């Protein structure tokens, strides 16, 4: 019995950290404390409060929210405006993300090749990433003006004069075009990094075997670039489901608008903003945010499930 106690004491002594390690751990926790506190206060805390607020009827002005259970979620399921917002968000996401990544792959391969003035083209394509989305949307709003916009000035000689910002059938394509243009820079940077990490030995071996340029792209570049593509799909879809600023500026929604053009383009976050800060329906807006949270969570989980089948690592 005494031998067992002695062995246990020796094990505890061995597990104790040395003064040097204890000092290192202390400084490590000290340096991560500000970031951890910031995440707790500005991310985790508000998220937990939003879940609670979704179960209440609160206008943001009263001192105490009124608990109503799942009534907000039941009303959401029967709200045709909310359903339209989710529909628009899905259409926007499925239109923007695949097109952006497909175009970015082509441009990244182009910019990774030995072409004249390669640095100049890289700077040109990277410009949108250093520009605020609000500024991008504002400039495009003027470019897409039906009468004075540069886009229609170019299209008019061909008999085309689409009402980009005034026609419910054109407002969503206009937003998609702006979003694709604005999202290309980030996608190209990630894909270029992935392309430059692919060993040239694969291409040299393919050249020896007489492979065509398309074969090398399809059987070497795409599989080895799939981790970067997967990363872009996950982050881009999350960003697309949370779109707000581009739609808010392009649609010109400086005040409450419920017309046909607004219905054709309004997103989920747009609706959350409107209900929370225009109609003071904080509980209802929080419920919609919770539904969006779980929607993104499920969709991202599905993407990670599909990762095992479509992503190839070296």
């Amino acid at each position: 019995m005494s031998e067992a106690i002695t062995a246990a004491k020796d094990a505890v002594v061995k597990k104790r950290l040395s003064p040097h390690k204890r000092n290192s751990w202390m400084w490590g926790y000290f340096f991560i404390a500000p970031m951890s506190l910031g995440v707790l206060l500005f991310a985790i805390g508000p998220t937990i409060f939003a879940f609670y607020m979704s179960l209440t009827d609160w206008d943001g002005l009263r001192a105490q929210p009124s608990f109503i259970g799942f009534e907000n979620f039941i009303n959401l399921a029967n709200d045709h405006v909310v359903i339209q917002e989710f529909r628009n968000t899905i259409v926007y996401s499925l239109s923007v993300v695949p097109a952006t990544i497909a175009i970015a792959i082509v441009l990244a391969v182009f910019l990774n090749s030995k072409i004249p003035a390669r640095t100049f083209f890289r700077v040109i394509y990277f410009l949108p990433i250093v520009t605020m989305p609000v500024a991008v949307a504002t400039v495009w709003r003027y470019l897409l003006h039906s009468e004075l916009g540069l886009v229609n000035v170019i299209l008019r000689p061909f008999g085309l004069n689409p009402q980009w910002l005034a026609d419910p059938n054109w407002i969503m394509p206009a937003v998609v075009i702006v979003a694709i243009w604005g999202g290309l820079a980030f996608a190209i940077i990630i894909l270029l990094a992935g392309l430059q990490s692919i060993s040239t030995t694969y291409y040299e071996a393919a050249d020896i075997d007489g492979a065509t340029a398309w074969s090398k792209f399809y059987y070497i570049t795409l599989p080895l670039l799939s981790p970067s593509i997967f990363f872009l799909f996950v982050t881009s879809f999350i960003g697309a489901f949370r779109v707000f600023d581009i739609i808010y500026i392009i649609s010109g929604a400086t005040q409450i608008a419920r017309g046909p053009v607004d219905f054709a383009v309004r997103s989920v976050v747009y609706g959350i903003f409107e209900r929370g800060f225009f109609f003071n329906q904080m509980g209802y807006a929080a419920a919609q945010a919770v539904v969006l949270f779980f929607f993104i969570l499920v969709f991202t989980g599905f993407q990670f499930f599909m990762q095992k089948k479509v992503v190839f690592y070296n």
Side-chain angles (χ1 to χ4, degrees):
M1 186 70 175
S2 59
E3 294 178 356
I5 295 174
T6 303
K9 288 181 179 180
D10 292 339
V12 172
V13 171
K14 290 180 180 179
K15 289 182 179 180
R16 288 177 181 172
L17 296 175
S18 64
H20 175 71
K21 288 186 176 180
R22 190 181 300 111
N23 187 60
S24 299
W25 278 69
M26 182 190 69
W27 281 107
Y29 282 119
F30 174 78
F31 283 116
I32 68 172
M35 177 61 71
S36 302
L37 186 62
V39 171
L40 180 64
L41 291 177
F42 300 108
I44 298 177
T47 301
I48 295 174
F49 183 68
F51 274 89
Y52 164 73
M53 201 162 46
S54 68
L55 303 175
T56 67
D57 178 18
W58 190 44
D59 58 6
L61 302 175
R62 288 175 293 169
Q64 292 294 333
S66 176
F67 185 82
I68 58 174
F70 293 97
E71 184 177 332
N72 285 328
F73 296 95
I74 296 173
N75 293 334
L76 282 175
N78 299 312
D79 192 332
H80 72 282
V81 179
V82 172
I83 295 173
Q84 181 65 33
E85 290 165 358
F86 272 96
R87 186 182 295 116
N88 290 341
T89 303
I90 293 173
V91 170
Y92 169 88
S93 302
L94 294 179
S95 301
V96 170
V97 176
T100 301
I101 295 177
I103 297 172
I105 291 173
V106 176
L107 294 177
V109 172
F110 170 73
L111 294 175
N112 193 51
S113 59
K114 296 179 180 179
I115 58 173
R118 180 172 62 175
T119 304
F120 170 76
F121 285 111
R122 286 184 176 182
V123 172
I124 293 298
Y125 285 115
F126 293 167
L127 280 178
I129 204 171
V130 298
T131 308
M132 292 295 293
V134 173
V136 170
T138 302
V139 172
W140 273 98
R141 180 170 171 79
Y142 286 104
L143 290 175
L144 295 172
H145 192 278
S146 59
E147 298 299 329
L148 306 176
L150 180 61
V151 175
N152 277 16
V153 169
I154 297 173
L155 295 177
R156 210 168 285 131
F158 301 96
L160 300 174
N161 190 42
Q163 305 296 306
W164 297 102
L165 308 179
D167 190 336
N169 297 318
W170 284 104
I171 185 70
M172 180 60 79
V175 171
V176 168
I177 291 171
V178 176
I180 291 174
W181 183 87
L184 278 176
F186 176 75
I188 290 174
I189 291 175
I190 299 299
L191 293 171
L192 264 179
L195 285 170
Q196 293 172 359
S197 67
I198 299 175
S199 174
T200 57
T201 56
Y202 295 109
Y203 298 103
E204 292 169 357
D207 289 333
I208 294 173
D209 293 336
T212 62
W214 170 252
S215 297
K216 288 187 289 186
F217 174 77
Y218 187 78
Y219 292 104
I220 298 176
T221 303
L222 278 183
L224 296 180
L225 201 59
S226 58
S228 300
I229 296 174
F230 171 72
F231 170 79
L232 284 175
F233 264 104
V234 172
T235 56
S236 298
F237 267 115
I238 292 174
F241 287 136
R242 297 185 295 111
V243 64
F244 168 74
D245 43 14
I246 292 179
I247 290 178
Y248 184 77
I249 299 298
I250 291 292
S251 63
T254 55
Q255 56 185 359
I256 300 175
R258 287 293 179 94
V261 175
D262 177 74
F263 273 104
V265 76
R266 60 187 297 125
S267 66
V268 176
V269 178
Y270 179 101
I272 294 171
F273 167 78
E274 184 186 73
R275 291 178 182 87
F277 296 98
F278 276 104
F279 298 142
N280 292 330
Q281 298 174 336
M282 290 294 181
Y284 197 59
Q288 190 175 1
V290 169
V291 173
L292 178 63
F293 169 82
F294 282 109
F295 181 83
I296 294 175
L297 184 66
V298 171
F299 190 84
T300 304
F302 172 75
Q303 288 180 292
F304 274 95
F305 173 77
M306 295 299 297
Q307 173 194 12
K308 303 175 183 177
K309 300 180 181 180
V310 297
V311 180
F312 304 92
Y313 295 96
N314 292 337

